[in-house]
Amino acid sequence: MALNRYFAQLEEQIVDRFKANASQTSSRDELSVHTGIKDPVLLEEIIELGIPPEGLIAFRIYPLVMVAWASEGVDANEREAIRRVASRLGISSESVARILVDHWTRRPPPKLCMDAWKRYCRHLFSKMSHQSAQQLIDLTRTQMQEIAGASGGILGFNKTSNKEALRIKQMIDEMDRCLALNASK
């Protein structure tokens, strides 16, 4: 248990360092050059969140994290399921993105993350064909359901309370609507 606490504190220090570095050295112009993002509001949100360019892939996992948080908290099974999905996406355990994702599974992402994620999706989908966007939405939906089932049956039913299962389903539906809305713009 003490070892877990040590790593949680270390992770917190790393995330704090990301935020400090982003606010000190990353200008909006530098971030735009490295990411191709032109939306000034999105760039400001990314800087405020302290996410460096190499950490932006963490936004791909954001909906899964939110599904995990829809219950009473993220448990070890959900955390491990999120890590498996991250690994399948090529996010290595030593990467900035993985550190951010692990941090988000221990502490809920800041509220600003939702707005930044939506803007990021809009940016991402603007570069994709409708067919590719739909495939990404379908894959994300499947992955959200995988996370929902990590601690219990289908969508958390049978092993979580009905109230928790309803919150999980509502979160999946909300994230799905956000993806579909941003893909249609």
Side-chain angles (χ1 to χ4, degrees):
M1 199 65 158
L3 190 58
N4 286 342
R5 200 170 325 122
Y6 168 76
F7 283 117
Q9 289 172 340
L10 183 61
E11 182 180 284
E12 187 78 34
Q13 290 171 354
I14 291 169
V15 171
D16 288 345
R17 194 172 320 132
F18 289 158
K19 289 179 182 178
N21 289 343
S23 66
Q24 291 176 6
T25 61
S26 293
S27 72
R28 191 178 314 147
D29 294 336
E30 289 174 39
L31 188 59
S32 180
V33 166
H34 291 303
T35 63
I37 297 171
K38 304 295 182 215
D39 180 341
V41 176
L42 175 56
L43 291 168
E44 274 307 312
E45 289 171 344
I46 291 169
I47 288 170
E48 188 173 329
L49 288 166
I51 300 174
E54 64 273 16
L56 285 178
I57 188 69
F59 274 140
R60 176 61 183 80
I61 306 292
Y62 179 78
L64 285 59
V65 171
M66 294 308 294
V67 167
W69 278 107
S71 59
E72 295 299 315
V74 180
D75 68 26
N77 292 333
E78 292 166 323
R79 187 173 291 110
E80 187 53 39
I82 289 170
R83 287 177 176 160
R84 280 193 307 271
V85 171
S87 292
R88 287 194 310 255
L89 293 173
I91 299 173
S92 72
S93 60
E94 302 84 33
S95 70
V96 170
R98 177 66 174 273
I99 291 168
L100 288 169
V101 169
D102 283 349
H103 181 71
W104 291 343
T105 64
R106 286 185 173 72
R107 301 185 102 160
K111 299 266 187 239
L112 179 60
C113 255
M114 179 64 92
D115 290 335
W117 173 74
K118 288 177 184 177
R119 287 180 195 282
Y120 182 72
C121 286
R122 194 172 309 127
H123 167 76
L124 186 65
F125 288 141
S126 74
K127 309 271 185 220
M128 300 172 87
S129 69
H130 177 72
Q131 181 180 4
S132 294
Q134 189 58 53
Q135 288 174 339
L136 180 58
I137 291 169
D138 293 344
L139 176 61
T140 303
R141 184 180 307 118
T142 299
Q143 291 166 338
M144 288 188 294
Q145 291 170 345
E146 179 182 340
I147 302 309
S151 287
I154 305 296
L155 293 178
F157 288 101
N158 300 328
K159 293 210 178 175
T160 59
S161 71
N162 289 340
K163 187 176 178 180
E164 282 182 320
L166 180 60
R167 283 196 311 260
I168 291 166
K169 183 181 179 333
Q170 288 171 336
M171 181 57 71
I172 290 173
D173 290 346
E174 179 183 346
M175 300 309 276
D176 200 36
R177 275 192 305 275
C178 288
L179 286 166
L181 178 67
N182 284 302
S184 67
K185 292 188 177 188

Short mmCIF file of all heavy atoms in Angstrom, two decimals, residues 53-90:
data_model
loop_
_atom_site.label_atom_id
_atom_site.label_comp_id
_atom_site.label_asym_id
_atom_site.label_seq_id
_atom_site.Cartn_x
_atom_site.Cartn_y
_atom_site.Cartn_z
N PRO A 53 2.28 18.27 -26.37
CA PRO A 53 1.86 17.67 -27.64
C PRO A 53 1.90 16.15 -27.64
O PRO A 53 0.97 15.49 -28.12
CB PRO A 53 2.84 18.24 -28.66
CG PRO A 53 3.29 19.53 -28.08
CD PRO A 53 3.29 19.32 -26.58
N GLU A 54 2.94 15.56 -27.04
CA GLU A 54 3.05 14.10 -27.04
C GLU A 54 2.03 13.43 -26.11
O GLU A 54 1.87 12.21 -26.13
CB GLU A 54 4.47 13.64 -26.71
CG GLU A 54 4.94 14.01 -25.32
CD GLU A 54 5.57 15.40 -25.20
OE1 GLU A 54 5.41 16.23 -26.11
OE2 GLU A 54 6.21 15.65 -24.18
N GLY A 55 1.32 14.22 -25.33
CA GLY A 55 0.31 13.68 -24.43
C GLY A 55 -1.11 13.75 -24.98
O GLY A 55 -2.03 13.22 -24.37
N LEU A 56 -1.28 14.38 -26.15
CA LEU A 56 -2.63 14.56 -26.68
C LEU A 56 -3.36 13.26 -27.00
O LEU A 56 -4.59 13.22 -26.98
CB LEU A 56 -2.60 15.45 -27.93
CG LEU A 56 -2.39 16.93 -27.66
CD1 LEU A 56 -2.33 17.70 -28.97
CD2 LEU A 56 -3.47 17.49 -26.76
N ILE A 57 -2.64 12.20 -27.25
CA ILE A 57 -3.29 10.91 -27.52
C ILE A 57 -4.11 10.47 -26.31
O ILE A 57 -5.03 9.66 -26.44
CB ILE A 57 -2.25 9.83 -27.95
CG1 ILE A 57 -2.95 8.54 -28.41
CG2 ILE A 57 -1.30 9.51 -26.81
CD1 ILE A 57 -3.68 8.64 -29.69
N ALA A 58 -3.83 11.04 -25.14
CA ALA A 58 -4.62 10.72 -23.94
C ALA A 58 -6.09 11.08 -24.15
O ALA A 58 -6.98 10.43 -23.57
CB ALA A 58 -4.06 11.45 -22.72
N PHE A 59 -6.36 12.08 -24.99
CA PHE A 59 -7.76 12.44 -25.27
C PHE A 59 -8.51 11.29 -25.93
O PHE A 59 -9.72 11.19 -25.82
CB PHE A 59 -7.86 13.68 -26.15
CG PHE A 59 -7.80 14.97 -25.38
CD1 PHE A 59 -7.09 16.04 -25.88
CD2 PHE A 59 -8.48 15.13 -24.18
CE1 PHE A 59 -7.05 17.24 -25.20
CE2 PHE A 59 -8.43 16.33 -23.49
CZ PHE A 59 -7.72 17.38 -23.99
N ARG A 60 -7.82 10.41 -26.60
CA ARG A 60 -8.45 9.25 -27.24
C ARG A 60 -9.05 8.32 -26.17
O ARG A 60 -10.04 7.65 -26.39
CB ARG A 60 -7.42 8.53 -28.10
CG ARG A 60 -7.84 7.28 -28.76
CD ARG A 60 -9.02 7.48 -29.71
NE ARG A 60 -9.41 6.19 -30.24
CZ ARG A 60 -10.15 5.30 -29.61
NH1 ARG A 60 -10.61 5.54 -28.40
NH2 ARG A 60 -10.46 4.15 -30.18
N ILE A 61 -8.44 8.32 -24.98
CA ILE A 61 -8.87 7.45 -23.88
C ILE A 61 -9.86 8.16 -22.96
O ILE A 61 -10.54 7.53 -22.16
CB ILE A 61 -7.63 7.00 -23.06
CG1 ILE A 61 -6.58 6.35 -23.95
CG2 ILE A 61 -8.00 6.09 -21.91
CD1 ILE A 61 -7.00 5.03 -24.53
N TYR A 62 -9.98 9.46 -23.09
CA TYR A 62 -10.83 10.26 -22.18
C TYR A 62 -12.24 9.69 -22.01
O TYR A 62 -12.72 9.57 -20.87
CB TYR A 62 -10.86 11.72 -22.64
CG TYR A 62 -11.72 12.59 -21.80
CD1 TYR A 62 -11.28 13.05 -20.56
CD2 TYR A 62 -13.00 12.95 -22.21
CE1 TYR A 62 -12.08 13.85 -19.77
CE2 TYR A 62 -13.80 13.75 -21.42
CZ TYR A 62 -13.34 14.20 -20.21
OH TYR A 62 -14.14 14.98 -19.41
N PRO A 63 -12.95 9.32 -23.09
CA PRO A 63 -14.31 8.78 -22.89
C PRO A 63 -14.33 7.53 -22.02
O PRO A 63 -15.25 7.33 -21.22
CB PRO A 63 -14.80 8.46 -24.31
CG PRO A 63 -13.95 9.27 -25.21
CD PRO A 63 -12.62 9.42 -24.51
N LEU A 64 -13.32 6.70 -22.12
CA LEU A 64 -13.24 5.49 -21.33
C LEU A 64 -13.06 5.82 -19.85
O LEU A 64 -13.67 5.20 -18.98
CB LEU A 64 -12.08 4.61 -21.80
CG LEU A 64 -12.28 3.85 -23.11
CD1 LEU A 64 -12.56 4.76 -24.29
CD2 LEU A 64 -11.08 3.00 -23.40
N VAL A 65 -12.23 6.83 -19.60
CA VAL A 65 -12.00 7.28 -18.22
C VAL A 65 -13.30 7.81 -17.63
O VAL A 65 -13.65 7.49 -16.48
CB VAL A 65 -10.89 8.36 -18.18
CG1 VAL A 65 -10.79 8.99 -16.80
CG2 VAL A 65 -9.55 7.76 -18.60
N MET A 66 -14.05 8.57 -18.41
CA MET A 66 -15.30 9.13 -17.91
C MET A 66 -16.33 8.03 -17.62
O MET A 66 -17.08 8.13 -16.65
CB MET A 66 -15.86 10.16 -18.89
CG MET A 66 -14.97 11.39 -19.03
SD MET A 66 -14.56 12.18 -17.45
CE MET A 66 -16.17 12.75 -16.94
N VAL A 67 -16.35 7.00 -18.42
CA VAL A 67 -17.24 5.86 -18.16
C VAL A 67 -16.83 5.20 -16.84
O VAL A 67 -17.69 4.86 -16.02
CB VAL A 67 -17.23 4.86 -19.33
CG1 VAL A 67 -17.89 3.54 -18.94
CG2 VAL A 67 -17.92 5.47 -20.55
N ALA A 68 -15.55 5.04 -16.62
CA ALA A 68 -15.08 4.43 -15.37
C ALA A 68 -15.48 5.29 -14.17
O ALA A 68 -15.87 4.76 -13.13
CB ALA A 68 -13.56 4.23 -15.41
N TRP A 69 -15.40 6.60 -14.30
CA TRP A 69 -15.76 7.49 -13.19
C TRP A 69 -17.27 7.60 -12.99
O TRP A 69 -17.72 8.12 -11.97
CB TRP A 69 -15.17 8.89 -13.39
CG TRP A 69 -13.74 8.97 -12.94
CD1 TRP A 69 -12.64 9.06 -13.72
CD2 TRP A 69 -13.27 8.95 -11.60
NE1 TRP A 69 -11.50 9.09 -12.95
CE2 TRP A 69 -11.87 9.03 -11.64
CE3 TRP A 69 -13.88 8.86 -10.35
CZ2 TRP A 69 -11.07 9.02 -10.49
CZ3 TRP A 69 -13.09 8.87 -9.21
CH2 TRP A 69 -11.70 8.95 -9.30
N ALA A 70 -18.07 7.12 -13.93
CA ALA A 70 -19.52 7.21 -13.80
C ALA A 70 -20.05 6.39 -12.63
O ALA A 70 -21.11 6.67 -12.09
CB ALA A 70 -20.21 6.78 -15.10
N SER A 71 -19.29 5.38 -12.21
CA SER A 71 -19.67 4.63 -11.02
C SER A 71 -19.09 5.36 -9.81
O SER A 71 -18.69 6.50 -9.90
CB SER A 71 -19.17 3.19 -11.12
OG SER A 71 -17.78 3.16 -11.26
N GLU A 72 -19.02 4.71 -8.70
CA GLU A 72 -18.54 5.36 -7.47
C GLU A 72 -17.07 5.76 -7.51
O GLU A 72 -16.60 6.49 -6.67
CB GLU A 72 -18.80 4.45 -6.27
CG GLU A 72 -20.27 4.22 -6.01
CD GLU A 72 -21.03 5.50 -5.70
OE1 GLU A 72 -20.54 6.31 -4.91
OE2 GLU A 72 -22.13 5.67 -6.26
N GLY A 73 -16.33 5.27 -8.45
CA GLY A 73 -14.91 5.56 -8.59
C GLY A 73 -14.31 4.54 -9.52
O GLY A 73 -14.95 3.57 -9.90
N VAL A 74 -13.08 4.74 -9.91
CA VAL A 74 -12.40 3.83 -10.82
C VAL A 74 -11.76 2.72 -9.99
O VAL A 74 -10.92 3.00 -9.13
CB VAL A 74 -11.33 4.56 -11.65
CG1 VAL A 74 -10.62 3.61 -12.59
CG2 VAL A 74 -11.95 5.72 -12.43
N ASP A 75 -12.17 1.48 -10.24
CA ASP A 75 -11.58 0.38 -9.49
C ASP A 75 -10.41 -0.23 -10.27
O ASP A 75 -10.13 0.16 -11.40
CB ASP A 75 -12.63 -0.67 -9.09
CG ASP A 75 -13.21 -1.44 -10.27
OD1 ASP A 75 -12.54 -1.58 -11.32
OD2 ASP A 75 -14.34 -1.94 -10.13
N ALA A 76 -9.73 -1.17 -9.64
CA ALA A 76 -8.53 -1.77 -10.24
C ALA A 76 -8.85 -2.47 -11.56
O ALA A 76 -8.04 -2.41 -12.50
CB ALA A 76 -7.90 -2.76 -9.26
N ASN A 77 -10.01 -3.12 -11.68
CA ASN A 77 -10.37 -3.79 -12.92
C ASN A 77 -10.59 -2.80 -14.05
O ASN A 77 -10.16 -3.04 -15.18
CB ASN A 77 -11.64 -4.64 -12.73
CG ASN A 77 -11.41 -5.82 -11.81
OD1 ASN A 77 -10.30 -6.32 -11.69
ND2 ASN A 77 -12.47 -6.26 -11.15
N GLU A 78 -11.25 -1.70 -13.75
CA GLU A 78 -11.47 -0.66 -14.77
C GLU A 78 -10.14 -0.03 -15.18
O GLU A 78 -9.90 0.20 -16.36
CB GLU A 78 -12.42 0.41 -14.23
CG GLU A 78 -13.84 -0.09 -14.03
CD GLU A 78 -14.67 0.85 -13.19
OE1 GLU A 78 -14.15 1.45 -12.22
OE2 GLU A 78 -15.88 0.95 -13.48
N ARG A 79 -9.30 0.26 -14.19
CA ARG A 79 -7.99 0.85 -14.47
C ARG A 79 -7.17 -0.06 -15.39
O ARG A 79 -6.57 0.38 -16.36
CB ARG A 79 -7.24 1.11 -13.16
CG ARG A 79 -5.93 1.87 -13.31
CD ARG A 79 -5.31 2.24 -11.97
NE ARG A 79 -6.14 3.24 -11.31
CZ ARG A 79 -6.87 3.03 -10.20
NH1 ARG A 79 -6.86 1.85 -9.61
NH2 ARG A 79 -7.58 3.98 -9.68
N GLU A 80 -7.20 -1.35 -15.09
CA GLU A 80 -6.45 -2.31 -15.91
C GLU A 80 -7.05 -2.41 -17.31
O GLU A 80 -6.32 -2.51 -18.30
CB GLU A 80 -6.41 -3.68 -15.24
CG GLU A 80 -5.51 -4.67 -15.94
CD GLU A 80 -4.08 -4.16 -16.17
OE1 GLU A 80 -3.51 -3.49 -15.29
OE2 GLU A 80 -3.54 -4.45 -17.26
N ALA A 81 -8.36 -2.37 -17.42
CA ALA A 81 -9.02 -2.41 -18.74
C ALA A 81 -8.64 -1.17 -19.56
O ALA A 81 -8.38 -1.27 -20.76
CB ALA A 81 -10.54 -2.51 -18.57
N ILE A 82 -8.59 -0.02 -18.92
CA ILE A 82 -8.18 1.21 -19.61
C ILE A 82 -6.74 1.09 -20.07
O ILE A 82 -6.40 1.46 -21.19
CB ILE A 82 -8.40 2.44 -18.70
CG1 ILE A 82 -9.90 2.71 -18.55
CG2 ILE A 82 -7.68 3.67 -19.26
CD1 ILE A 82 -10.26 3.73 -17.49
N ARG A 83 -5.88 0.54 -19.24
CA ARG A 83 -4.48 0.35 -19.62
C ARG A 83 -4.35 -0.60 -20.81
O ARG A 83 -3.52 -0.39 -21.69
CB ARG A 83 -3.68 -0.18 -18.44
CG ARG A 83 -3.42 0.85 -17.38
CD ARG A 83 -2.70 0.26 -16.20
NE ARG A 83 -2.38 1.29 -15.23
CZ ARG A 83 -2.10 1.04 -13.97
NH1 ARG A 83 -2.07 -0.21 -13.53
NH2 ARG A 83 -1.83 2.03 -13.15
N ARG A 84 -5.17 -1.65 -20.83
CA ARG A 84 -5.13 -2.59 -21.97
C ARG A 84 -5.52 -1.89 -23.27
O ARG A 84 -4.87 -2.07 -24.30
CB ARG A 84 -6.06 -3.79 -21.72
CG ARG A 84 -5.48 -4.85 -20.82
CD ARG A 84 -6.29 -6.14 -20.86
NE ARG A 84 -7.71 -5.95 -20.60
CZ ARG A 84 -8.26 -5.98 -19.39
NH1 ARG A 84 -7.51 -6.19 -18.32
NH2 ARG A 84 -9.57 -5.81 -19.24
N VAL A 85 -6.57 -1.08 -23.21
CA VAL A 85 -6.98 -0.34 -24.41
C VAL A 85 -5.86 0.61 -24.83
O VAL A 85 -5.53 0.70 -26.01
CB VAL A 85 -8.30 0.42 -24.18
CG1 VAL A 85 -8.60 1.36 -25.34
CG2 VAL A 85 -9.46 -0.55 -23.96
N ALA A 86 -5.28 1.31 -23.86
CA ALA A 86 -4.19 2.24 -24.17
C ALA A 86 -3.03 1.50 -24.85
O ALA A 86 -2.48 1.98 -25.84
CB ALA A 86 -3.72 2.94 -22.90
N SER A 87 -2.69 0.34 -24.34
CA SER A 87 -1.61 -0.45 -24.93
C SER A 87 -1.94 -0.86 -26.36
O SER A 87 -1.10 -0.81 -27.25
CB SER A 87 -1.31 -1.69 -24.09
OG SER A 87 -0.76 -1.31 -22.86
N ARG A 88 -3.20 -1.28 -26.57
CA ARG A 88 -3.61 -1.65 -27.94
C ARG A 88 -3.54 -0.47 -28.90
O ARG A 88 -3.35 -0.65 -30.10
CB ARG A 88 -5.04 -2.21 -27.93
CG ARG A 88 -5.14 -3.60 -27.32
CD ARG A 88 -6.46 -4.28 -27.62
NE ARG A 88 -7.64 -3.51 -27.33
CZ ARG A 88 -8.46 -3.69 -26.29
NH1 ARG A 88 -8.21 -4.66 -25.42
NH2 ARG A 88 -9.52 -2.96 -26.12
N LEU A 89 -3.67 0.74 -28.36
CA LEU A 89 -3.57 1.95 -29.19
C LEU A 89 -2.13 2.41 -29.37
O LEU A 89 -1.87 3.43 -30.01
CB LEU A 89 -4.41 3.09 -28.58
CG LEU A 89 -5.92 2.86 -28.58
CD1 LEU A 89 -6.61 3.97 -27.80
CD2 LEU A 89 -6.44 2.80 -30.01
N GLY A 90 -1.19 1.67 -28.78
CA GLY A 90 0.22 2.02 -28.93
C GLY A 90 0.72 3.00 -27.89
O GLY A 90 1.81 3.56 -28.03
#
